[in-house]
Amino acid sequence: DIQMTQSPSSLSASVGDRVTITCRASQSISSYLNWYQQKPGKAPKLLIYAASRLQSGVPSRFSGSGSGTDFTLTISSLQPEDFATYYCQQSYSTPITFGQGTRLEIK
Amino acid sequence: EVQLVESGGGLVQPGGSLRLSCAASGFTFNSYWMTWVRQAPGKGLEWVANINQDGSEKYYVDSVKGRFTISRDNAKNSLYLQMNSLRAEDTAVYYCARRNLEGGDYFDYWGQGTRVTVSS
């Protein structure tokens, strides 16, 4: 199974900050990497697919990069609604696996 | 508008069974793979199972193989998860999601989830 490791596990930041979350795969997954945002009590929401493609309707302050084993999610200027938990997910092989999550909190 | 609505969750004793349903609307259901993902209380997301468009291909996470069965009824635009021999560690919110293979491989729409609690 491919293990996905996110860092940091939690992060405190302020509105307007630039934030980067990292996801590392235990083996190469090409660009089969997706990012989701989840707010408490809600279903996950797709932000980025195929490592760098912005899902329709997602604000352009979200961006993704990387390929192979190392990936990043960047929020260019944090907005109040961005405080949530973020998950990476690999779809390169079954079983599909998620990172453990990064909780983004207000400083 | 794409909608996925899960139902069928509840409290069940260890060793019991439960059948989850997911009603889909707003898209051509029989054109998409579908999936179940679960989230234990306070934990992260765990993929459970996938099924292809006509139900001929099914994949499961090891921890549910032999106990859970994913299925679909394209005439009813519905996805199902039959869960047998339930264990305490199956306690979670179960989400159905649409798998999209256009330009990648991702879950682009999710239901609101249905809660399953396995406890005596």
Side-chain angles (χ1 to χ4, degrees):
Chain A
D1 298 3
I2 297 175
Q3 290 201 343
M4 307 300 294
T5 304
Q6 290 181 231
S7 60
S9 295
S10 64
L11 174 61
S12 294
S14 301
V15 172
D17 284 354
R18 180 183 180 89
V19 166
T20 297
I21 298 170
T22 297
C23 179
R24 175 164 288 176
S26 60
Q27 66 185 75
S28 178
I29 58 170
S30 185
S31 295
Y32 287 91
L33 190 284
N34 308 310
W35 290 98
Y36 300 87
Q37 176 194 67
Q38 187 179 33
K39 296 181 179 180
K42 300 295 186 181
K45 173 187 174 183
L46 177 68
L47 299 176
I48 301 284
Y49 66 96
S52 61
R53 300 186 182 192
L54 192 67
Q55 171 68 351
S56 176
V58 173
S60 60
R61 62 181 179 273
F62 291 93
S63 63
S65 65
S67 66
T69 60
D70 294 315
F71 302 86
T72 59
L73 172 71
T74 299
I75 310 172
S76 60
S77 178
L78 272 174
Q79 298 302 301
E81 61 268 29
D82 299 337
F83 292 94
T85 300
Y86 293 84
Y87 294 94
C88 63
Q89 172 238 328
Q90 67 83 17
S91 54
Y92 181 79
S93 67
T94 300
I96 293 165
T97 47
F98 290 86
Q100 81 279 14
T102 295
R103 185 175 178 180
L104 180 53
E105 300 173 319
I106 300 174
K107 183 182 287 184
Chain B
E1 178 193 7
V2 172
Q3 283 199 323
L4 298 169
V5 180
E6 301 95 336
S7 60
L11 175 63
V12 60
Q13 292 188 340
S17 298
L18 213 54
R19 188 196 196 205
L20 305 184
S21 300
C22 172
S25 61
F27 66 102
T28 305
F29 182 70
N30 61 13
S31 294
Y32 289 86
W33 283 73
M34 296 295 294
T35 195
W36 288 98
V37 174
R38 67 184 179 183
Q39 186 169 36
K43 302 297 184 182
L45 301 169
E46 180 183 37
W47 170 77
V48 174
N50 271 347
I51 186 168
N52 74 336
Q53 292 88 336
D54 65 5
S56 61
E57 293 184 52
K58 304 175 185 181
Y59 301 92
Y60 301 90
V61 68
D62 281 351
S63 60
V64 309
K65 281 180 184 175
R67 300 188 300 122
F68 289 13
T69 301
I70 190 172
S71 63
R72 65 192 295 162
D73 185 337
N74 287 340
K76 295 182 178 180
N77 287 347
S78 292
L79 175 71
Y80 306 101
L81 186 68
Q82 177 66 45
M83 304 186 295
N84 299 330
S85 303
L86 282 161
R87 306 167 180 167
E89 54 265 35
D90 297 317
T91 294
V93 174
Y94 285 74
Y95 297 100
C96 69
R98 188 178 83 169
R99 182 185 182 190
N100 196 325
L101 299 179
E102 185 175 355
D105 185 348
Y106 47 93
F107 305 142
D108 60 350
Y109 288 95
W110 298 63
Q112 84 288 351
T114 188
R115 186 174 301 275
V116 172
T117 302
V118 183
S119 174
S120 55

